[in-house]
Amino acid sequence: LAPTLTLADRAIVVAGFMGAGKTTVANALARRLRRPFVDLDREIERVASARIADLFAQEGEERFRRREAAAAADELARADRPVIALGGGSLGDETTRALLRERALVAWLDVDLTTAWSRAAGPGRPLTADRAQFDRLWGERRAGYAAAADAIVDAGASATSIAGALAQQVWTRSGVLEIAAGGDGRVFRIVDAAVADRVASDLVLDGGEAGKSPAGLEQLWRALADAGLERSDRVLAVGGGAVTDVVGLAAATFRRGIAWIAAPTTLVGQVDAAIGGKTAIDVAAKNDVGAFWTPQAVLSDPELLATLPPAEWSAGFAECLKTALLAGGPLWELVRGMGPDRPSDSSQAELVRRCAGFKSLVVAEDPRESGLRAILNLGHTVGHGVESAAGYGALRHGEAVAIGLVAALRLSTKLAGLDQTVVDEVSELLAGHGLPRSAPGLAPAAVLAAMRHDKKRAAGTHRFVLLESIGKPVREVEVPDDLVDEVVAAAVRA
Ligand SMILES: NC(=O)c1ccc[n+]([C@@H]2O[C@H](COP(=O)([O-])OP(=O)(O)OC[C@H]3O[C@@H](n4cnc5c(N)ncnc54)[C@H](O)[C@@H]3O)[C@@H](O)[C@H]2O)c1
Ligand SMILES: [Zn+2]
């Protein structure tokens, strides 16, 4: 059996259909990660001393695919772990797929058909002569990409943003923790008690919010000191969002910052909390002390979610729904089709990959939340209000977000032209997943008081993220007080 290659020893493969922008993105990513760059098509042309269009015409597709598989095998065998732009058809080859799994991590740049055609059509591309054939091929190849991908990113964004998203190395695949070790230095493994029976650890922490405290942080600092960790070592945090938040902050501060890897084990963690480098503990208020400290990688094993209690799954689903409303496209189609039962393994993995890919992109464009990143707060204005008015712990964060989403969408119909059918569909999805749409019994005044902190920051007005349509958020919309009162009143009605 081949030894498992570590994160640092793996090639990164950028795959996708024609027009996805693989070459530009892989090149930019290679520069960011200071790795060699390989364009597999150019490599094939170099070895054959012929252009791909000519090879296709002279030898036929099958012979070309064999050349492609051989070239992929050569590049994947290299010791200097390049970033490889992989030709659109390579994933059809079973041997190549097996090699990729063993030696690489694969990102799929998912391009929609219209964009693909407008970018790809033209001379020199053997498969773009016929539009109907192009469309068919686009459809046929999707399942292969979905099955081989460890990450999915929307190819519609700029190449710089996509490279920035991929540079965060957010990978989702079963067994992925095996590859966390390696590189120079030691890896100190800190594991949430909820998964400690399945994951090897150097230190086990009780999961949940209580650990996100000054005392929890001090315990971690002392453990890292006792273990004799140095700047060249690494911390691996395996657990829910609470564990990755506090361990991330310990890593950010210990020896003025040591590297860390996040391995989230809840749905909230895999789609949200572990991505983007925000770390925190709660002192006088939730998340009021923290630091931006980006992990070297975020490794999510979908199998670890198998033990997640249904209520924790639903809370995570609320954040997925939020992300789907922001992203639109295939993620929205996936989410709206999900019933309350756990999805199949493949849909669950695709859900996590698409949500994580969307957050990675947003973070790449705005790492410090000076603008765009604020869209991730859709549903969180009223959500935070009810979460804090109920008393932290009374409602799960995701449950509060569910209530806040309904409020934000109601406002969106009044101020952003959102169609009422979206509000109805989202409301039904939430109910179907056992999520609340209101928190009966809370005093509206208490919710409004808790929202005042956000309001203060925005110069005395309530500013909301609203939705014009699925996939089209608008930021910084000023909402008049009477409308805020109205949706808050609705949010606490039975
Ligand atoms: N940093 C960020 O950008 C960010 C974003 C969103 C949320 N957060 C933070 O994340 C925290 C919430 O995270 P969460 O929803 O993961 O909750 P959590 O970390 O509190 O975990 C919930 C419970 O599930 C347990 N658990 C963890 N993995 C499990 C598994 N595989 N099977 C069974 N039980 C498991 C935990 O031990 C805990 O008891 C909050 O503190 C929130 O502030 C941070
Ligand atoms: Zn949230």
Side-chain angles (χ1 to χ4, degrees):
L1 208 72
T4 305
L5 286 185
T6 64
L7 185 65
D9 293 324
R10 281 170 182 264
I12 294 180
V13 164
V14 179
F17 198 62
M18 285 172 269
K22 301 178 289 280
T23 308
T24 322
V25 167
N27 198 348
L29 180 61
R31 264 184 278 124
R32 282 190 70 129
L33 298 177
R34 296 202 187 81
R35 292 189 184 206
F37 160 69
V38 175
D39 182 342
L40 204 70
D41 282 351
R42 298 291 84 75
E43 200 47 35
I44 295 166
E45 292 186 329
R46 196 184 60 75
V47 170
S49 305
R51 300 194 28 209
I52 287 189
D54 299 332
L55 288 172
F56 237 76
Q58 289 155 16
E59 303 179 337
E61 174 159 3
E62 205 194 307
R63 177 90 182 79
F64 175 75
R65 293 295 167 214
R66 259 181 281 148
R67 283 185 184 278
E68 198 175 34
D74 283 350
E75 298 305 325
L76 288 169
R78 282 167 60 160
D80 57 357
R81 60 213 170 87
V83 178
I84 304 170
L86 195 72
S90 290
L91 292 176
D93 182 69
E94 203 177 307
T95 320
T96 304
R97 284 201 309 267
L99 263 183
L100 286 173
R101 196 154 173 89
E102 186 189 306
R103 312 197 63 94
L105 289 157
V106 180
W108 171 25
L109 304 193
D110 187 11
V111 65
D112 67 74
L113 192 48
T114 317
T115 311
W117 178 256
S118 71
R119 287 181 185 169
R125 299 258 198 168
L127 297 172
T128 61
D130 171 352
R131 177 69 201 249
Q133 188 205 4
F134 185 87
D135 291 8
R136 200 173 340 105
L137 203 57
W138 179 88
E140 282 167 11
R141 288 207 180 144
R142 297 181 67 75
Y145 292 129
D150 303 305
I152 306 175
V153 181
D154 180 355
S158 76
T160 318
S161 297
I162 298 173
L166 296 178
Q168 296 165 63
Q169 305 219 37
V170 182
W171 307 111
T172 301
R173 69 149 78 165
S174 51
V176 75
L177 285 192
E178 284 172 14
I179 71 171
D184 301 329
R186 283 189 301 149
V187 178
F188 191 74
R189 300 157 302 181
I190 305 174
V191 176
D192 193 313
V195 295
D197 56 339
R198 283 166 287 166
V199 180
S201 61
D202 299 298
L203 177 68
V204 174
L205 288 187
D206 284 336
E209 203 66 24
K212 274 180 64 172
S213 61
L217 184 60
E218 181 177 357
Q219 182 203 348
L220 284 169
W221 283 331
R222 292 195 182 282
L224 299 181
D226 288 347
L229 283 208
E230 292 302 332
R231 284 283 291 279
S232 52
D233 297 325
R234 251 171 308 152
V235 172
L236 171 66
V238 188
V243 165
T244 50
D245 268 14
V246 65
V247 174
L249 183 55
T253 45
F254 185 73
R255 304 245 186 271
R256 298 191 181 83
I258 66 174
W260 73 299
I261 292 175
T265 64
T266 60
L267 185 56
V268 168
Q270 296 192 350
V271 301
D272 190 357
I275 300 164
K278 278 188 183 176
T279 71
I281 57 168
D282 312 330
V283 181
K286 200 170 144 73
N287 295 332
D288 58 351
V289 174
F292 283 98
W293 191 242
T294 306
Q296 279 183 338
V298 179
L299 307 178
S300 294
D301 185 339
E303 281 176 30
L304 287 175
L305 300 187
T307 53
L308 207 59
E312 296 292 345
W313 172 269
S314 296
F317 184 80
E319 295 281 11
C320 295
L321 183 53
K322 172 203 81 177
T323 310
L325 289 167
L326 296 170
L331 177 57
W332 168 244
E333 294 307 325
L334 181 67
V335 162
R336 75 194 302 199
M338 276 186 174
D341 295 335
R342 285 295 175 88
S344 67
D345 290 352
S346 63
S347 327
Q348 181 194 306
E350 185 176 342
L351 174 73
V352 171
R353 287 179 187 126
R354 288 194 182 278
C355 289
F358 182 83
K359 180 159 183 190
S360 307
L361 261 181
V362 171
V363 169
E365 290 182 25
D366 178 20
R368 295 284 170 133
E369 193 160 339
S370 42
L372 178 73
R373 190 166 174 167
I375 62 168
L376 299 173
N377 293 327
L378 178 69
H380 282 61
T381 314
V382 171
H384 282 149
V386 295
E387 188 177 10
S388 124
Y392 285 110
L395 279 174
R396 285 185 179 77
H397 174 71
E399 293 165 348
V401 168
I403 297 168
L405 274 178
V406 173
L409 296 187
R410 282 199 178 124
L411 286 174
S412 300
T413 61
K414 294 183 201 293
L415 298 173
L418 180 71
D419 206 291
Q420 178 64 34
T421 55
V422 176
V423 189
D424 298 340
E425 182 171 359
V426 167
S427 188
E428 252 171 59
L429 270 170
L430 293 170
H433 285 259
L435 287 159
R437 289 159 299 169
S438 66
L442 289 185
V447 177
L448 288 164
M451 289 164 61
R452 207 167 290 141
H453 175 69
D454 286 343
K455 184 173 169 174
K456 240 189 307 194
R457 283 193 312 188
T461 56
H462 280 291
R463 305 238 167 131
F464 277 68
V465 180
L466 298 182
L467 209 62
E468 280 175 16
S469 59
I470 306 279
K472 271 196 120 183
V474 265
R475 280 186 282 131
E476 297 269 316
V477 182
E478 273 188 38
V479 179
D481 284 345
D482 56 328
L483 278 184
V484 175
D485 292 349
E486 198 180 306
V487 291
V488 167
V492 299
R493 245 194 318 265

